[in-house]
Amino acid sequence: MDVTFVSGNLALDFVGTVGSRRTERIQLLAGPADLAAWTTAAGLLDEAPAVDDRGFAEAVDLREELYRLACAARDGEDYGDVGPLNAWAARPPVTAALDADGGVRRTGDLDAVLATIARSAVDLLARPLASELRECGAETCTRLYVDSSRRGARRWCDMKRCGNRVKAAQFRARHA
């Protein structure tokens, strides 16, 4: 599983588990095991939760709802039905507890993970922060991110990946 966390928001990183949405979709979460592994890679939980087919389907539904809402925010449109997002955000989130040595333990089940992601989305989609949502400028990349750059001029989801590919292609085109 080749996941990155470059979107500047947990919910957008979750949405980013699907790549190239307008061409050949790349599913980075192919099944329950991938979703379980993503929860720990994202730093949400210390130990991967149990994920069954039903839980995986619910997570995919939430992910697609988040994508719809984020695109509406990016385009300055009304959100329409926000009921499913708010229902997830109302559930108990991941629990964080401080250890005596200063470490943090994060525990919860898949529902807690999805609730935490939904809460992140609520914070993100609240205006005016939603106006900082952008889509990567690379031709086939559809990754959404928060543009928190000083001038609001960030063009790519990740300079190391998409930005480098675009610049290298432009260089090759100029020197061809």
Side-chain angles (χ1 to χ4, degrees):
M1 177 175 54
D2 182 26
V3 295
T4 59
F5 300 92
V6 296
S7 296
N9 177 274
L10 176 63
L12 292 181
D13 283 329
F14 186 54
V15 167
T17 61
V18 174
S20 302
R21 287 176 178 267
R22 285 186 295 276
T23 56
E24 277 192 47
R25 292 170 63 105
I26 301 168
Q27 294 285 348
L28 299 177
L29 302 180
D34 289 338
L35 176 58
W38 185 89
T39 65
T40 58
L44 284 164
L45 297 173
D46 295 337
E47 294 182 22
V51 180
D52 59 15
D53 289 336
R54 179 199 58 80
F56 180 73
E58 288 178 344
V60 169
D61 288 346
L62 176 62
R63 180 185 67 190
E64 296 310 306
E65 179 66 9
L66 296 176
Y67 180 71
R68 180 190 71 78
L69 292 167
C71 287
R74 176 200 63 203
D75 298 340
E77 298 173 355
D78 286 338
Y79 295 137
D81 182 15
V82 294
L85 173 62
N86 288 335
W88 274 108
R91 295 181 182 192
V94 168
T95 302
L98 185 66
D99 290 333
D101 64 359
V104 177
R105 284 180 287 117
R106 290 176 175 80
T107 58
D109 59 9
L110 180 61
D111 282 357
V113 166
L114 298 179
T116 301
I117 293 168
R119 288 172 181 220
S120 177
V122 167
D123 290 339
L124 171 72
L125 296 170
R127 292 193 164 73
L129 182 60
S131 66
E132 296 178 5
L133 273 170
R134 306 280 186 275
E135 183 176 292
C136 184
E139 188 173 317
T140 60
C141 185
T142 55
R143 182 103 184 213
L144 299 169
Y145 61 90
V146 176
D147 183 0
S148 55
S149 64
R150 185 181 305 176
R151 295 183 312 169
R154 183 174 160 190
R155 296 176 53 195
W156 301 289
C157 63
D158 184 19
M159 184 60 199
K160 292 177 185 172
R161 289 179 155 207
C162 290
N164 190 42
R165 286 184 196 139
V166 169
K167 287 185 172 200
Q170 289 171 343
F171 177 82
R172 284 191 302 272
R174 281 192 312 268
H175 293 87

